[in-house]
Amino acid sequence: MRVGLITPEPGHPLLAAASALLTAAGHPVEALDPRTGSAPPRCVADVYLLKSRTPRALALARELEERGAVVVNSAAATERCQDRTAMAEIALRAGLPFAATRTVGGLGRWASGHPLTAPVVVKSRHSRRGDLVARVDDAAQLRALAARWPDEPVVVQDFAPNSGWDHKVWAVGDRVFAALRRSELSPGGRGPTRSLGPDELPPGWAALVRAAGKAYGLEVYGVDLIDAGGSPLIVDVNAFPGIRDQAGAPEALAGLVLRRAPGRDAAPAAG
């Protein structure tokens, strides 16, 4: 079988390691750069891995899907995780413990008419590299943030008191990997990451992550959780994250690719 990578960075550690495993097993891997490439006249790969979330990458993946290609994650599932309003709505329908999220439009306009009475987390509505994610504790901070991002469409979440450490949990098919990382919203800013063994996650959290993957139709994904008073709270979901420095992740990805080849039994959680 042949494998395609939809990415401008085929040398990313996870992709490079999984590609080496697949190539060694006799499965050629070819990168398709969404910045410059277009869909081939026919699907030359059996399975494509979508490791990019730009509009051009999504359009390319969608075109390949229309031609009958298997794309992991699907363009639709990837897109669901880019709009934080839709992300929250999907979680609510699925009964997932997701941070209460309200969409307020442009940050400047909202800030000018909103008296801040409690800490909030302000995020860009549309998830992307370099987007806005900030904790705001008072009106002065809100005005300063709005001055830097006046026209940014945002969502607002009430700040949930927590330890200041995020549980970063990633899934590749049924395999779950995890780490602890000091939150970028903590007073000290983003800090080091410490890998966790599967048995170091609180009971039920791995099942919760898999339920999130099913709700969004994802096969390779990340879920950010915080411990809010002893209960898990999902604060973000990402399609095809980097999953760096996680032993076994490249093997899990290579295995998923082989299972998703046409004619195999495995199928995505949703379209």
Side-chain angles (χ1 to χ4, degrees):
M1 62 172 285
R2 301 181 66 87
V3 181
L5 307 178
I6 304 174
T7 177
E9 300 177 287
H12 181 283
L14 175 65
L15 292 180
S19 296
L21 292 169
L22 290 164
T23 300
H27 307 292
V29 179
E30 181 177 352
L32 186 56
D33 190 338
R35 298 172 301 183
T36 57
S38 58
R42 58 186 180 85
C43 297
V44 297
D46 299 285
V47 178
Y48 289 89
L49 296 179
L50 176 57
K51 184 68 175 75
S52 179
R53 292 171 281 182
T54 65
R56 292 187 69 170
L58 290 170
L60 178 57
R62 199 169 286 112
E63 186 175 348
L64 289 165
E65 289 171 338
E66 290 171 354
R67 296 178 183 179
V70 174
V71 179
V72 178
N73 299 294
S74 71
T78 301
E79 203 162 30
R80 288 184 196 113
C81 295
Q82 290 189 274
D83 184 336
R84 289 190 168 103
T85 298
M87 186 189 300
E89 291 171 349
I90 291 169
L92 183 65
R93 289 197 300 269
L96 300 173
F98 196 90
T101 302
R102 55 191 184 276
T103 303
V104 300
L107 177 56
R109 182 175 180 181
W110 179 76
S112 65
H114 184 80
L116 194 64
T117 58
V120 297
V121 178
V122 178
K123 299 180 179 180
S124 296
R125 173 172 177 173
H126 301 288
S127 175
R128 63 192 187 278
R129 184 174 295 181
D131 62 357
L132 169 62
V133 179
R135 174 178 170 175
V136 180
D137 291 321
D138 54 44
Q141 288 181 357
L142 182 58
R143 288 193 299 270
L145 192 67
R148 297 197 301 271
W149 300 75
D151 301 318
E152 181 73 5
V154 297
V155 299
V156 176
Q157 299 171 342
D158 293 336
F159 177 75
N162 62 88
S163 67
W165 289 80
D166 293 338
H167 279 80
K168 310 287 291 186
V169 188
W170 305 280
V172 180
D174 289 334
R175 289 284 305 277
V176 170
F177 307 87
L180 268 179
R181 185 168 70 189
R182 193 175 67 202
S183 171
E184 61 189 320
L185 303 178
S186 67
R190 176 172 289 176
T193 298
R194 179 174 72 84
S195 292
L196 298 175
D199 57 346
E200 293 184 87
L201 279 175
W205 284 34
L208 173 60
V209 167
R210 293 188 180 101
K214 183 176 180 180
Y216 292 95
L218 295 165
E219 299 177 81
V220 183
Y221 57 98
V223 180
D224 292 351
L225 301 109
I226 59 174
D227 186 336
S231 299
L233 186 68
I234 299 173
V235 295
D236 212 353
V237 179
N238 301 287
F240 220 125
I243 322 182
R244 293 176 183 268
D245 304 319
Q246 292 296 307
E251 290 81 2
L253 182 57
L256 175 64
V257 168
L258 295 176
R259 293 194 302 274
R260 291 293 282 118
R264 299 298 180 98
D265 294 333

